């Protein structure tokens, strides 16, 4: 949040922006510099280290300054006619406008800072410094020392601003605060002790570290106390009005939330129909002496259960992922569906404890200012599970499912897309990336790889893909139903286990995500739908001249812009601007 005086930003709001190329470029340069001053933790995470020593406290004064800055830039954009800009600049204009509108809505309407204690996790503020490839260790430690000094005030403000939380977000915050202690007790203490050259600097850093560590512990105790004394928690359901507004701001698609929900319902039935003949074929392979069940759902589920028998042991889970990454790389190179960058290796690692509790696997990619930093494939180990829980989890993430997951998260999914994004010429498109495009590409890449012939045991893999894609479809149905139709946990689990054939552990984990997030679970299907539709439209227009590799390279070259913006740039339909 902003630290500059309000009057400065009020004065800036009178600025009149003329829409020509050079002045627009100057505006975006200024906007980005102010953006990082406004959000220094975000700056650190994308590799911009100028403001590493700042950690604005989440108090009402800084929130007010943030809103003044946002409105100032909102006013500037009102003086711009996007039709006067070139196509790439026009798309940047739309991204900036949506970002500003979204941030104002979050601050004034959604007000998550008042009820989500998991918002106040400073782990990312330090991890971005620790993992930097552009800073020397002594520089990292100096920045860490200064930022550590601000942690006590940060958590004091967080405790003061929090009101009635949701039980679900409070539980997540408690879990992550315990993981955060590990980061402080090990990596940050080590940085103070071993990366500073002067003994006085070491002593100062360690003193600041101890105060910051105490603040983290106190915040954890505060959360426990808050849970014990709260008699009535806020509902995790945000309701239809808030959901519809958030959907438009986050998805930035051509379809409404209800339209995507209806498409998901239709796609669910289509997938069931497609899976029946493949399940029947596999039934004869795995159960040659048994009569197949008449109920088609039971048939599909029975075969999927049999396929789930093939999985690794819990201790080999992460190692199995490491082994498969080179196989995916080899197929992509041979099939030439998209270009890979051999200078940007992917490293599989255990998810850091302070990041756990939301998703079992994720990509942690370098920011556009620190493109040399390593890209991590975070995988949460199963050592926190009971044997029964681990077995259920591994039956879900069996031999076939893991191949699709690794396509989605790694190659040519998130990892590949984010490498491309960091090469895009527009910093705006890299930074103000659209999550729907990012998730949509990962989902699209799964289908595309199978279309291009990836994988042995084709029938097994394709049936499992049907189940996996049902997950994407049912994510959207679940997300919409929870926040718009008051779907109960029992109904949600029934949807996921009966219609999407998920193991209970996976279904329960997805229900938890639906209680912790809104709209994000719909982004997978929404993004996939628009990307696939764009590809099919271009295939129809170009006929035999359509080149899949060319389509992928061009699509990814626009960074993480919304699909509807990329569509305008690729179709070049002037009427759509």
């Amino acid at each position: 949040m902003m630290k500059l005086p309000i009057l400065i930003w009020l004065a800036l709001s009178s600025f009149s922006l003329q829409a020509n190329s050079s002045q627009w470029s100057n505006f975006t340069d200024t906007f980005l510099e102010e953006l990082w001053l406004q959000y220094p933790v975000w700056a650190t995470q994308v590799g911009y280290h100028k403001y590493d020593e700042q950690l604005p406290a989440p108090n009402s004064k800084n929130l007010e300054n943030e809103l003044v800055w946002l409105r100032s830039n909102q006013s500037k954009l009102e003086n711009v006619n996007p039709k006067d800009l070139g196509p790439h600049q026009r798309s940047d204009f739309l991204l900036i406008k949506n970002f500003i509108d979204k941030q104002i809505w979050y601050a004034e309407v959604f007000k998550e800072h008042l009820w989500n204690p998991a918002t106040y996790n400073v782990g990312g503020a330090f991890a971005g410094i620790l993992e930097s490839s552009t800073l020397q260790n002594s520089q990292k430690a100096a920045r860490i020392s200064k930022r550590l000094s601000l942690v006590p005030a940060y958590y004091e403000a967080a405790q003061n601003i929090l009101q009635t939380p949701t039980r679900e977000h409070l539980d997540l915050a408690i879990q992550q605060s315990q993981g955060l202690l590990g980061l402080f007790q090990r990596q940050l203490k080590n940085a103070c002790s071993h990366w500073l050259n002067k003994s006085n600097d070491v002593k100062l850093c360690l003193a600041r570290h101890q105060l910051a560590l105490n603040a983290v512990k106190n915040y954890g105790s505060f959360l426990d106390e808050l849970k014990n004394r709260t008699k009535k928690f806020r509902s995790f359901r945000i309701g239809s009005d808030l959901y519809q507004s958030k959907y438009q701001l986050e998805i930035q698609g051509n379809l409404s939330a209800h339209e995507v929900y209806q498409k998901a319902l239709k796609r669910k039935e289509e997938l069931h129909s497609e899976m029946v003949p493949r399940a029947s074929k596999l039934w004869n392979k795995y159960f040659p002496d048994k009569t197949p069940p008449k109920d088609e759902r039971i048939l599909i589920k029975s075969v999927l259960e049999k396929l789930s028998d093939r999985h690794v042991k819990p201790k080999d889970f992460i190692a199995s992922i490491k082994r498969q990454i080179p196989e995916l790389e080899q197929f992509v190179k041979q099939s030439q569906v998209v270009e890979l960058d051999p200078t940007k290796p992917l490293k599989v690692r255990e998810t850091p404890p302070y990041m756990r509790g939301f998703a079992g696997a994720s990509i942690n990619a370098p920011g556009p200012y620190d493109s040399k930093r390593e890209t991590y494939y975070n995988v949460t180990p199963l050592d926190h599970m009971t044997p029964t829980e681990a077995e259920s989890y591994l039956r879900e993430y069996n031999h076939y499912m893991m191949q699709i997951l690794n396509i989605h998260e790694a190659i040519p999914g998130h990892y590949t897309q984010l490498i491309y994004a960091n090469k895009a010429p527009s910093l705006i498109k890299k930074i103000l990336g659209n999550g729907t495009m990012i998730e949509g590409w990962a989902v699209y890449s799964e289908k595309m790889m199978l279309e291009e012939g990836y994988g042995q045991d084709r029938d097994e893999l394709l049936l499992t893909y049907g189940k996996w894609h049902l997950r994407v479809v049912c994510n959207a149905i679940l997300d919409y139903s929870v926040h718009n139709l008051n779907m109960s946990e029992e109904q949600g689990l029934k949807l996921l286990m009966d219609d999407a054939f998920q193991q209970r552990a996976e279904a329960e984990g997805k229900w938890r995500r639906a209680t912790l997030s809104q709209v994000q679970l719909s982004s997978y299907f929404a993004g996939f739908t628009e990307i696939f539709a764009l590809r099919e439209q271009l295939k129809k227009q170009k006929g035999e001249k359509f080149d899949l590799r060319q389509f992928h390279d061009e699509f990814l070259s626009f960074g993480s812009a919304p699909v509807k913006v990329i569509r305008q740039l690729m179709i070049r339909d002037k009427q759509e601007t």
Side-chain angles (χ1 to χ4, degrees):
M1 294 184 182
M2 206 43 218
K3 282 194 171 183
L4 293 186
I6 292 176
L7 289 178
I8 293 178
W9 297 113
L10 287 173
L12 286 173
S13 67
S14 62
F15 173 85
S16 177
L17 179 66
Q18 299 297 319
N20 61 51
S21 295
S22 61
Q23 289 178 316
W24 175 255
S25 179
N26 291 337
F27 167 76
T28 56
D29 289 345
T30 302
F31 172 80
L32 285 174
E33 186 64 26
E34 293 174 357
L35 181 75
W36 303 138
L37 184 59
Q38 180 71 41
Y39 305 106
V41 172
W42 184 10
T44 296
Q45 292 169 332
V46 298
Y48 191 79
H49 294 290
K50 184 176 180 179
Y51 303 112
D52 281 351
E53 296 183 350
Q54 297 187 23
L55 182 66
N59 54 41
S60 57
K61 179 180 178 181
N62 282 328
L63 178 61
E64 182 182 357
N65 285 341
E66 178 188 5
L67 282 168
V68 169
W69 176 74
L70 289 166
R71 290 197 187 98
S72 167
N73 281 281
Q74 191 178 54
S75 176
K76 295 174 189 177
L77 292 181
E78 289 175 354
N79 295 321
V80 178
N81 183 350
K83 292 183 178 180
D84 294 336
L85 299 170
H88 286 277
Q89 292 178 325
R90 184 161 60 249
S91 61
D92 284 353
F93 168 88
L94 295 172
L95 287 171
I96 294 174
K97 182 180 184 305
N98 185 82
F99 168 77
I100 291 171
D101 292 344
K102 181 171 63 176
Q103 292 301 105
I104 292 174
W105 181 83
Y106 267 103
E108 295 187 327
V109 180
F110 200 56
K111 298 182 179 180
E112 189 175 12
H113 58 284
L114 300 179
W115 51 264
N116 182 2
T119 300
Y120 305 110
N121 183 341
V122 297
F126 294 98
I129 299 175
L130 288 169
E131 297 172 358
S132 169
S133 67
T134 61
L135 299 174
Q136 297 178 354
N137 284 346
S138 59
Q139 295 174 307
K140 294 179 182 180
R143 287 162 164 78
I144 286 170
S145 178
K146 179 61 178 176
R147 192 165 264 181
L148 282 170
S149 71
L150 302 173
V151 170
Y154 179 91
Y155 276 119
E156 180 181 0
Q159 293 179 39
N160 289 333
I161 203 168
L162 277 170
Q163 297 176 9
T164 304
T166 76
R167 183 189 297 273
E168 293 76 13
H169 290 92
L170 182 54
D171 286 341
L172 176 63
I174 290 172
Q175 177 186 350
Q176 291 188 337
S177 69
Q178 294 167 351
L180 189 61
L181 286 175
L183 176 70
F184 273 75
Q185 292 169 336
R186 291 185 288 274
Q187 291 98 315
L188 296 183
K189 186 176 182 179
N190 179 72
C192 289
S193 300
H194 301 294
W195 290 355
L196 290 168
N197 300 319
K198 297 180 181 179
S199 59
N200 287 339
D201 292 340
V202 173
K203 291 178 181 178
L204 178 60
C205 187
L206 288 173
R208 289 171 169 174
H209 170 267
Q210 187 59 53
L211 292 174
L213 179 62
N214 291 340
V216 172
K217 291 179 178 178
N218 290 339
Y219 186 62
S221 299
F222 164 78
L223 295 176
D224 289 332
E225 180 186 347
L226 183 61
K227 184 174 181 179
N228 292 331
R229 74 167 186 261
T230 302
K231 296 180 179 179
K232 185 176 181 180
F233 291 92
R234 177 190 176 100
S235 173
F236 65 83
R237 303 177 196 275
I238 64 173
S240 183
D241 289 343
L242 288 177
Y243 183 92
Q244 302 293 335
S245 297
K246 185 174 183 181
Y247 189 94
Q248 292 301 320
L249 290 166
E250 293 285 357
I251 300 296
Q252 301 181 62
N254 289 313
L255 301 175
S256 70
H258 184 70
E259 288 172 325
V260 170
Y261 169 68
Q262 291 294 331
K263 281 184 173 291
L265 291 173
K266 180 181 179 182
R267 183 60 181 146
K268 176 167 71 75
E269 297 306 315
E270 291 172 349
L271 283 167
H272 286 158
S273 297
E274 293 170 7
M275 294 172 76
V276 170
R278 187 161 282 116
S280 297
K281 182 179 178 181
L282 289 170
W283 177 275
N284 294 329
K285 177 178 179 179
Y286 288 98
F287 307 101
D289 300 325
K290 292 185 178 181
T291 302
K294 294 181 180 180
D295 188 310
E296 293 179 344
R297 301 288 178 89
I298 295 177
L299 171 68
I300 295 171
K301 190 168 186 177
S302 299
V303 176
L304 287 170
E305 282 290 329
K306 184 63 178 177
L307 298 182
S308 296
D309 290 343
R310 189 178 177 187
H311 63 74
V312 299
K313 296 178 180 179
K315 63 182 180 64
D316 299 325
F317 181 59
I318 296 179
S320 69
I321 295 175
K322 291 180 179 180
R323 287 194 299 269
Q324 198 191 7
I325 300 303
E327 297 174 9
L328 293 172
E329 290 177 333
Q330 186 62 27
F331 180 84
V332 169
K333 289 176 182 177
Q334 290 179 345
S335 59
Q336 296 186 336
V337 292
V338 69
E339 182 179 0
L340 297 179
D341 187 343
T343 68
K344 308 291 183 184
L346 176 64
K347 290 198 172 184
V348 181
R349 70 172 181 182
E350 292 188 7
T351 305
Y354 72 90
M355 294 174 64
R356 297 178 189 178
F358 187 75
S362 63
I363 289 293
N364 187 279
Y369 295 97
D370 191 6
S371 59
K372 294 182 180 180
R373 183 169 67 81
E374 293 177 325
T375 301
Y376 293 107
Y377 183 180
N378 294 328
V379 183
T380 301
L382 310 184
D383 50 16
H384 65 291
M385 294 183 179
T386 66
T388 300
E389 290 171 337
E391 175 66 14
S392 178
Y393 188 87
L394 289 170
R395 289 186 67 80
E396 181 71 25
Y397 291 96
N398 56 62
H399 170 74
Y400 308 104
M401 190 72 87
M402 285 307 302
Q403 295 178 65
I404 305 169
L405 173 67
N406 291 332
I407 290 172
H408 179 101
E409 294 292 346
I411 298 170
H414 286 319
Y415 159 71
T416 304
Q417 186 270 320
L418 290 169
I419 293 295
Y420 265 84
N422 276 341
K423 294 180 178 179
S426 166
L427 269 175
I428 296 297
K429 292 185 181 68
K430 297 176 189 177
I431 292 158
L432 303 183
N434 175 249
T436 304
M437 180 272 177
I438 294 170
E439 294 296 354
W441 168 263
V443 175
Y444 164 79
S445 68
E446 304 154 13
K447 181 175 178 62
M448 179 270 295
M449 287 281 280
L450 293 176
E451 288 175 336
E452 294 303 303
Y454 170 80
Q456 299 174 354
D457 302 319
R458 292 292 294 169
D459 287 320
E460 288 86 347
L461 187 60
L462 289 171
L463 183 67
T464 303
Y465 170 74
K467 173 183 172 177
W468 176 271
H469 199 60
L470 274 171
R471 175 187 296 195
V472 171
V473 169
C474 288
N475 278 351
I477 297 171
L478 178 71
D479 182 56
Y480 184 89
S481 299
V482 164
H483 295 288
N484 293 273
L485 306 175
N486 291 318
M487 173 181 272
S488 67
E489 181 176 1
E490 181 182 358
Q491 292 170 324
L493 294 179
K494 186 176 187 302
L495 168 73
L496 298 173
M497 290 191 292
D498 292 352
D499 286 0
F501 310 108
Q502 294 178 10
Q503 298 286 328
R504 175 168 285 275
E506 174 64 24
E508 290 176 344
K510 191 55 59 66
W511 172 260
R512 184 168 187 260
R513 275 186 67 178
T515 68
L516 292 171
S517 66
Q518 319 85 22
V519 173
Q520 197 273 336
L521 282 173
S522 292
S523 64
Y524 303 83
F525 183 67
F528 162 78
T529 299
E530 295 206 10
I531 293 172
F532 189 76
L534 172 61
R535 189 192 77 176
E536 294 306 291
Q537 179 180 350
L538 287 172
K539 283 177 68 174
K540 185 176 180 180
Q541 288 181 357
K542 295 186 177 183
E544 294 182 356
K545 294 182 179 180
F546 179 81
D547 183 280
L548 186 64
R549 165 72 176 272
Q550 185 180 34
F551 168 75
H552 292 155
D553 288 347
E554 183 180 6
F555 181 86
L556 293 173
S557 72
F558 298 112
S560 300
V563 181
K564 72 175 183 180
V565 171
I566 297 176
R567 182 181 185 279
Q568 292 172 7
L569 293 170
M570 292 183 71
I571 298 293
R572 308 190 190 285
D573 185 345
K574 302 301 182 182
Q575 294 180 348
E576 293 185 356
T577 62

